[in-house]
Amino acid sequence: MTEEQQRRFREMAGAPALDPAAMARQRADARLMMEGDAGEIEARCSLWWTDPPAHPEHRLGLIGHYAARDIGAGRLLLDEACDRLAARGCTLAVGPMDGNTWNRYRLVTERGTEPPFFLEPDTPAEWPVHFREAGFGFLAEYYSALSTDLTRRDPRMPEVAVRLAALGVTIRPLRVDQFPEEMGRIYDVSKISFQRNFLYTPIDQADFLAMYEPVKPYVNPALVLLAEHEGRPVGFVFSLPDLNQALRGAAIDTLIIKTAAVLPEKRYAGLGGLLVARIHEIAEAAGFRRVIHALMHESNSSRRISDRYAETMRRYALFSRALDR
């Protein structure tokens, strides 16, 4: 694509604008753009096939940066994307996913009554229909859950806290004046803990830090906890206020647990639950009235922890379609 075509791709009318720096990091193998008779862009997407996430049965091809004005344009674009991926030897098309699961992926499939929260991938209600009409089905489902009773406690956590303290595990807030170093510690936990996640893809620390740099101005260090043991990070929980409430002219009374992770060692059993419990306690003391547990895979341990506090408020899905060579 020429520079002008790339600009038009990023700034398609009626679609979320794409960040040039993020697109450069995501390293798409190809981009597709459909134009109408008047030259307007009707649909767009990017494709990845060179280094896709591992799958036990398929070679994946990814479709991301997706946007379409209507179902007709969406179906034509998705059919063309699948043909291109099949020609590259892919056997399963997966989307929407912007290169890997560290970036934006999934579509909202059941919106519920709650408005979009800060940093949530809010997608049009029609887009899941585009994928289904193009022959895609659910590959994985995800959930966000809402806790409205911050006085609720997990009765097992005091015993867990005593055991982990006796082991020498400490929990402290983020040192915001050392943000790059602290995010490096969070990266060290993430790259190990997330290896068990569905369609996990490793990324280097530089890309990880670049992803979190735009969030730095919104970080309250008291709402990000790091667990350490014998001088190394072993777990964390990363939370942010729901700044979308302020944009709607409302008071900010909701905290979002964006990510929680713990090293997969038996001696740290219960640490994830303890970190979430501590954040709930901190949120209540700080005057928050609600906590959102954001974007959990249907089978992740984070969802089992969340079920002790919260009820599902939104559902999302990642879609797939088998490809003919």
Side-chain angles (χ1 to χ4, degrees), residues 45-106:
C45 72
S46 297
L47 304 179
W48 289 261
W49 61 75
T50 298
D51 189 21
H55 189 282
E57 300 173 2
H58 291 281
R59 176 171 175 79
L60 302 188
L62 306 183
I63 302 171
H65 300 150
Y66 177 81
R69 289 190 174 184
D70 56 49
I71 191 170
R75 179 165 185 173
L76 286 173
L77 180 77
L78 290 170
D79 282 345
E80 176 66 20
C82 288
D83 288 345
R84 300 273 187 110
L85 293 173
R88 294 289 180 168
C90 302
T91 62
L92 190 72
V94 173
M97 182 185 291
D98 295 354
N100 56 53
T101 56
W102 296 96
N103 303 311
R104 280 184 172 253
Y105 68 108
R106 301 166 286 213

Side-chain angles (χ1 to χ4, degrees), residues 8-293:
R8 295 179 65 225
F9 183 95
R10 294 193 306 268
E11 300 174 7
M12 174 183 167
L18 300 172
D19 175 49
M23 290 181 68
R25 289 196 307 271
Q26 291 157 8
R27 306 177 187 92
D29 290 306
R31 296 191 179 99
L32 303 180
M33 200 164 54
M34 287 182 52
E35 294 186 352
D37 294 338
E40 73 281 7
I41 300 174
E42 295 189 344
R44 73 172 188 211
C45 72
S46 297
L47 304 179
W48 289 261
W49 61 75
T50 298
D51 189 21
H55 189 282
E57 300 173 2
H58 291 281
R59 176 171 175 79
L60 302 188
L62 306 183
I63 302 171
H65 300 150
Y66 177 81
R69 289 190 174 184
D70 56 49
I71 191 170
R75 179 165 185 173
L76 286 173
L77 180 77
L78 290 170
D79 282 345
E80 176 66 20
C82 288
D83 288 345
R84 300 273 187 110
L85 293 173
R88 294 289 180 168
C90 302
T91 62
L92 190 72
V94 173
M97 182 185 291
D98 295 354
N100 56 53
T101 56
W102 296 96
N103 303 311
R104 280 184 172 253
Y105 68 108
R106 301 166 286 213
L107 296 176
V108 176
T109 53
E110 293 184 26
R111 187 167 299 277
T113 59
E114 289 290 327
F117 55 82
F118 184 53
L119 300 181
E120 180 183 17
D122 183 34
T123 55
E126 311 83 51
W127 287 4
V129 180
H130 297 185
F131 276 78
R132 284 195 288 265
E133 287 295 313
F136 285 74
F138 284 2
L139 178 63
E141 293 186 83
Y142 304 81
Y143 304 82
S144 290
L146 176 65
S147 172
T148 56
D149 180 6
L150 301 193
T151 66
R152 186 183 298 182
R153 299 288 182 260
D154 186 335
R156 299 171 299 176
M157 288 305 104
E159 181 180 343
V160 171
V162 169
R163 174 172 55 80
L164 290 172
L167 182 64
V169 174
T170 59
I171 297 175
R172 63 169 177 83
L174 182 85
R175 297 171 184 142
V176 74
D177 59 329
Q178 302 175 24
F179 191 77
E181 294 83 0
E182 294 284 75
M183 294 310 300
R185 295 182 180 97
I186 287 174
Y187 169 77
D188 289 341
V189 175
S190 299
K191 69 180 181 181
I192 297 173
S193 176
F194 294 163
Q195 286 179 7
R196 299 171 294 174
N197 287 4
F198 183 57
L199 299 186
Y200 170 80
T201 302
I203 62 169
D204 61 34
Q205 183 169 321
D207 283 348
F208 180 85
L209 296 180
M211 286 167 45
Y212 273 89
E213 186 62 29
V215 179
K216 180 181 177 182
Y218 312 113
V219 171
N220 179 338
L223 303 176
V224 181
L225 300 180
L226 277 77
E228 296 172 318
H229 183 221
E230 298 176 343
R232 68 167 182 155
V234 297
F236 72 90
V237 58
F238 194 100
S239 305
L240 293 161
D242 184 6
L243 301 181
N244 282 9
Q245 290 184 295
L247 295 177
R248 296 191 296 269
I252 299 177
D253 68 356
T254 302
L255 183 69
I256 304 160
I257 297 180
K258 182 179 182 295
T259 315
V262 173
L263 294 184
E265 298 179 26
K266 185 175 290 188
R267 55 183 170 167
Y268 302 131
L271 178 55
L274 181 60
L275 288 167
V276 169
R278 291 278 173 88
I279 282 293
H280 273 247
E281 293 169 7
I282 291 168
E284 182 192 13
F288 291 97
R289 295 177 52 249
R290 314 184 326 156
V291 173
I292 292 173
H293 301 178

